[in-house]
Amino acid sequence: EADIYQTPRYLVIGTGKKITLECSQTMGHDKMYWYQQDPGMELHLIHYSYGVNSTEKGDLSSESTVSRIRTEHFPLTLESARPSHTSQYLCASERGGGAFYTQYFGPGTRLTVL
Amino acid sequence: AQRVTQPEKLLSVFKGAPVELKCNYSYSGSPELFWYVQYSRQRLQLLLRHISRESIKGFTADLNKGETSFHLKKPFAQEEDSAMYYCALSGYNTDKLIFGTGTRLQVFP
């Protein structure tokens, strides 16, 4: 079934650790996005990608990095986690092309940095 | 500047009452407007988009270019409508979806 997956769903980690949040989609979409969302709050775009080998920074300054080596995979990495990184991270994908298509969201990863 | 404004952080109504969630936008050109919804413990998902001109779960939204608004309406709210609602904008002058800050709708029995 075509879907967008995020792992882990929950992560509690200590300050200074390196972490990678995984996002994969089987929808065949070109565009992928990472958002940061505090519960019940606004969404902040932190990274996006138009396709393989394409990555762009979003509106929110972030200490994270992303890569897009395969169309279906868009992992987000924090080299050194800090308590300020505690948040929910949402991955989304969208069909490419010139028109404006729906973004499909994953279930999210809730990150807590102690 | 391209911007989406949702002036209400919280909207509380009783079941059966009409609901209007406000959304105003700033955009030079012809925008594509969306409403996304996030129910408790569920994914953020598309509710409707203006180009489709459809009613989803009894909700409708009309694009008013004169007032630069895209308010979401439902004549009779249900308890299951309680959720977080985000208005969003896209267009040829932006390479990403621009979200508003969201409005939490609470429908009391």
Side-chain angles (χ1 to χ4, degrees):
Chain A
E1 181 181 336
D3 204 350
I4 181 163
Y5 304 92
Q6 288 187 245
T7 57
R9 293 291 311 278
Y10 302 91
L11 180 62
V12 181
I13 203 161
T15 297
K17 300 290 187 183
K18 177 180 178 178
I19 58 170
T20 296
L21 308 185
E22 302 287 350
C23 176
S24 295
Q25 50 97 1
T26 56
M27 308 184 81
H29 288 167
D30 290 322
K31 295 182 180 179
M32 295 189 75
Y33 305 83
W34 276 104
Y35 294 89
Q36 187 173 337
Q37 181 193 35
D38 291 320
M41 304 291 282
E42 59 187 293
L43 293 155
H44 297 285
L45 179 67
I46 49 176
H47 295 284
Y48 59 105
S49 166
Y50 293 124
V52 172
N53 295 326
S54 154
T55 61
E56 304 286 343
K57 287 189 180 294
D59 304 315
L60 182 68
S61 175
S62 173
E63 292 152 348
S64 58
T65 58
V66 292
S67 61
R68 191 88 183 274
I69 299 172
R70 303 198 322 260
T71 300
E72 61 273 17
H73 197 212
F74 191 42
L76 181 144
T77 298
L78 278 166
E79 291 292 332
S80 179
R82 295 211 303 266
S84 61
H85 295 137
T86 295
S87 189
Q88 172 150 269
Y89 293 82
L90 299 181
C91 182
S93 71
E94 179 187 335
R95 187 175 154 190
F100 313 116
Y101 297 105
T102 301
Q103 283 193 16
Y104 292 87
F105 286 81
T109 294
R110 189 169 297 282
L111 172 66
T112 302
V113 183
L114 303 176
Chain B
Q2 300 152 1
R3 188 170 58 246
V4 175
T5 302
Q6 292 181 252
E8 303 140 329
K9 289 186 73 74
L10 174 65
L11 183 62
S12 299
V13 300
F14 286 101
K15 177 183 172 181
V19 169
E20 182 179 67
L21 288 85
K22 292 183 167 43
C23 172
N24 289 91
Y25 67 89
S26 173
Y27 184 80
S28 53
S30 293
E32 174 72 16
L33 274 297
F34 306 79
W35 277 100
Y36 281 80
V37 62
Q38 191 171 30
Y39 301 102
S40 179
R41 299 188 185 85
Q42 293 189 29
R43 302 186 189 195
L44 189 60
Q45 59 186 289
L46 178 72
L47 179 63
L48 56 80
R49 53 189 297 178
H50 95 269
I51 199 169
S52 302
R53 298 189 180 279
E54 55 191 350
S55 173
I56 304 293
K57 298 185 179 184
F59 285 98
T60 58
D62 292 317
L63 179 60
N64 185 324
K65 292 187 177 181
E67 296 182 359
T68 60
S69 68
F70 188 57
H71 302 328
L72 183 69
K73 300 177 184 180
K74 185 170 182 176
F76 307 103
Q78 302 299 314
E79 289 179 69
E80 55 265 29
D81 296 328
S82 296
M84 194 74 180
Y85 291 81
Y86 294 93
C87 183
L89 172 154
S90 186
Y92 287 109
N93 294 335
T94 176
D95 56 357
K96 50 190 180 289
L97 202 55
I98 299 169
F99 281 93
T101 51
T103 297
R104 178 167 298 283
L105 174 64
Q106 288 182 331
V107 182
F108 295 111

